[in-house]
Amino acid sequence: MNRASRSHALPALRLAWKHLRHHRAQSIILVVCIALSLFLPVAVRLLTFYYDQVLTERADATPLVIGAAGNRFDLVLKSIYFSSPYDRNIRKSDEEALRKKDFGRIIPLHLRHQAQAMQASEDAPTALIGTSPAYYAFRNLKPASGRLPTLLGEAVLGSAAAVRFGVGVGDSILSTPKAIYDLEKSFQLKLQVVGILQEGQLADNRSVFTTVKTAWVMDGYYHGHEGGSDADAHVRSTGKAVYQEITDANRDQFHAHAGTDQLPLTAMILVPHGDSADARNVNLILATTHVNVDLADTHQAIAPSEVISELMHRIFAIRKFFDAHAILVGLATCLFLFLVFSLSFRIRKREFETLYKMGISKKTIRALLGWEVSLILIAAIVLASGCLGVLMLFQPFFLRWIGV
């Protein structure tokens, strides 16, 4: 920039800044409108990309899910991401039959219950998963403090769940009542927190884990002995809810009233021997040889990566509509800004004439108008960039807020 240009630019910049400060409300409105038109389309793309990354990463790491026949999207989303309880059941005998085939490692999942803090809270309950020690090894989950649950009535919490409930090792949480109007199943089970897991994937961080047998206690299939003053000692009350408590004194009293082979599971994760890329081959084996007689009619074996890929394809197809919408909104915003600035400059015509009579050149006046527009645009870009930075920093929180 030469000296002549600088002589016009600097006074124009000072005048533009003073004018925008004087009309502060109008300037802020323009900055916010432009910033939103820049922020929203980019934010949607970033969240969609991160959403895709989170879903795909977990799905790709899960070779096969086996569960009751039904909606495959429902089975995958609930058995991998623990989005909500799942009431369609398979049986323990299905797990045993699959083990005999020796296709790989079998991880049982029981997903019918949820957990809450001991004190009543307005927060929605979180997923309570009954599983085996193989799950923690499969997801590479290790205790940050305490240990993994091994006995009836014990639980380990994901890092986010522990913060949400405000509990640590040695504290307790409650299961939610399964059937409020069924007296035999309306009780809640008090769970002793024996460990807090290290930071892992989002679905694990916000969940609570226990043993499958503890989940069967909540189902009502495992019972303690009733009758007598000592036998009822495991039943307690908070004044707002009646709950069952398993302690060292009564733990050995709990037993199943039916064969465990018939007790329910929600799903199983099958991890093939060797490379997980063998999942499709195992799926083919399951479809052709059948784990048991009823597999073809009542069960389904699903490769989660294929289901999530199809789901994301649909999501990205919908995103094209939002992209088109963003383009139209952007064009409308540009036309709106053109109209606002045009009307503003026309209203200020006498102001510019006065500046000209005071000896300010037309070039400096044009520079003044250019600086006003530039400062508003720069402020909008800075605001939009700051919002995007906050979004990137708190992406997990936003996904958790929308239920991912």
Side-chain angles (χ1 to χ4, degrees):
M1 181 182 294
N2 56 39
R3 183 175 299 178
S5 300
R6 194 182 300 115
S7 65
H8 293 294
L10 294 179
L13 175 59
R14 286 194 294 270
L15 287 174
W17 174 247
K18 289 181 179 181
H19 179 270
L20 293 177
R21 287 186 60 187
H22 182 71
H23 299 87
R24 190 170 300 164
Q26 175 183 317
S27 303
I28 291 174
I29 292 173
L30 286 173
V31 168
V32 171
C33 288
I34 298 172
L36 284 176
S37 66
L38 296 174
F39 167 75
L40 290 177
V42 180
V44 170
R45 278 190 166 272
L46 287 175
L47 283 178
T48 305
F49 175 78
Y50 187 70
Y51 181 71
D52 177 30
Q53 187 179 36
V54 169
L55 291 185
T56 302
E57 180 182 2
R58 194 167 175 86
D60 289 344
T62 309
L64 281 175
V65 170
I66 300 170
N71 188 306
R72 57 199 179 96
F73 291 102
D74 204 30
L75 175 61
V76 168
L77 290 176
K78 292 181 177 180
S79 61
I80 296 182
Y81 308 103
F82 313 137
S83 56
S84 61
Y86 192 69
D87 288 328
R88 298 181 68 88
N89 294 325
I90 56 177
R91 295 173 296 182
K92 177 68 175 178
S93 58
D94 297 323
E95 179 191 354
E96 298 301 328
L98 188 58
R99 289 188 189 280
K100 292 178 181 179
K101 295 293 182 179
D102 195 29
F103 289 137
R105 185 171 28 154
I106 309 300
I107 303 172
L109 295 173
H110 187 293
L111 307 170
R112 299 180 63 186
H113 299 284
Q114 294 179 299
Q116 65 181 49
M118 286 294 295
Q119 301 298 324
S121 173
E122 296 181 358
D123 292 338
T126 194
L128 175 55
I129 298 98
T131 189
S132 70
Y135 180 83
Y136 308 107
F138 171 61
R139 296 293 188 199
N140 195 30
L141 296 172
K142 299 177 181 179
S145 60
R147 58 178 176 82
L148 298 177
T150 56
L151 303 176
L152 283 180
E154 295 181 341
V156 63
L157 276 65
S159 56
V163 172
R164 179 183 177 189
F165 290 158
V167 299
V169 176
D171 295 327
S172 300
I173 59 174
L174 286 176
S175 67
T176 56
K178 182 61 179 174
I180 297 176
Y181 302 107
D182 187 341
L183 294 179
E184 293 184 356
K185 296 182 179 180
S186 62
F187 68 86
Q188 297 172 264
L189 183 64
K190 183 179 180 180
L191 299 170
Q192 181 184 3
V193 178
V194 297
I196 306 297
L197 295 174
Q198 294 177 353
E199 191 83 13
Q201 292 181 324
L202 188 61
D204 298 318
N205 292 341
R206 64 187 184 188
S207 300
V208 177
F209 299 90
T210 186
T211 64
V212 174
K213 287 185 178 180
T214 300
W216 287 337
V217 172
M218 290 179 274
D219 284 338
Y221 294 110
Y222 263 66
H223 300 275
H225 290 290
E226 301 285 341
S229 59
D230 293 337
D232 286 336
H234 60 281
V235 178
R236 302 283 187 269
S237 174
T238 63
K240 296 182 179 179
V242 175
Y243 63 85
Q244 195 173 30
E245 182 176 7
I246 301 174
T247 65
D248 292 337
N250 63 37
R251 184 171 286 114
D252 293 338
Q253 298 175 5
F254 283 81
H255 61 282
H257 284 199
T260 56
D261 286 351
Q262 301 305 311
L263 296 184
L265 295 172
T266 300
M268 297 175 286
I269 295 175
L270 172 57
V271 184
H273 294 305
D275 193 346
S276 61
D278 297 333
R280 293 186 179 182
N281 296 332
V282 175
N283 197 21
L284 179 62
I285 293 173
L286 291 174
T288 55
T289 63
H290 302 178
V291 172
N292 57 43
V293 176
D294 299 325
L295 180 62
D297 298 325
T298 61
H299 295 62
Q300 57 181 337
I302 302 172
S305 58
E306 296 179 0
V307 173
I308 297 302
S309 177
E310 181 179 347
L311 177 63
M312 294 310 300
H313 177 74
R314 296 184 182 184
I315 291 175
F316 282 117
I318 296 174
R319 197 185 70 179
K320 293 179 181 178
F321 167 79
F322 288 103
D323 289 343
H325 177 265
I327 292 173
L328 292 177
V329 170
L331 289 174
T333 303
C334 290
L335 293 174
F336 169 75
L337 292 174
F338 177 78
L339 177 63
V340 168
F341 284 122
S342 297
L343 291 176
S344 175
F345 296 158
R346 184 171 298 180
I347 292 172
R348 296 169 61 191
K349 184 176 181 180
R350 290 186 177 179
E351 174 188 342
F352 299 146
E353 290 176 352
T354 300
L355 291 173
Y356 181 72
K357 291 178 180 178
M358 292 173 59
I360 297 177
S361 67
K362 292 184 177 180
K363 183 176 289 188
T364 301
I365 295 174
R366 286 195 293 268
L368 165 66
L369 299 179
W371 274 119
E372 288 184 9
V373 175
S374 299
L375 288 173
I376 288 175
L377 291 177
I378 291 171
I381 292 172
V382 171
L383 178 60
S385 300
C387 292
L388 288 173
V390 172
L391 179 67
M392 292 293 290
L393 186 62
F394 293 100
Q395 278 185 102
F397 169 79
F398 285 109
L399 291 184
R400 186 162 57 249
W401 178 63
I402 64 178
V404 178

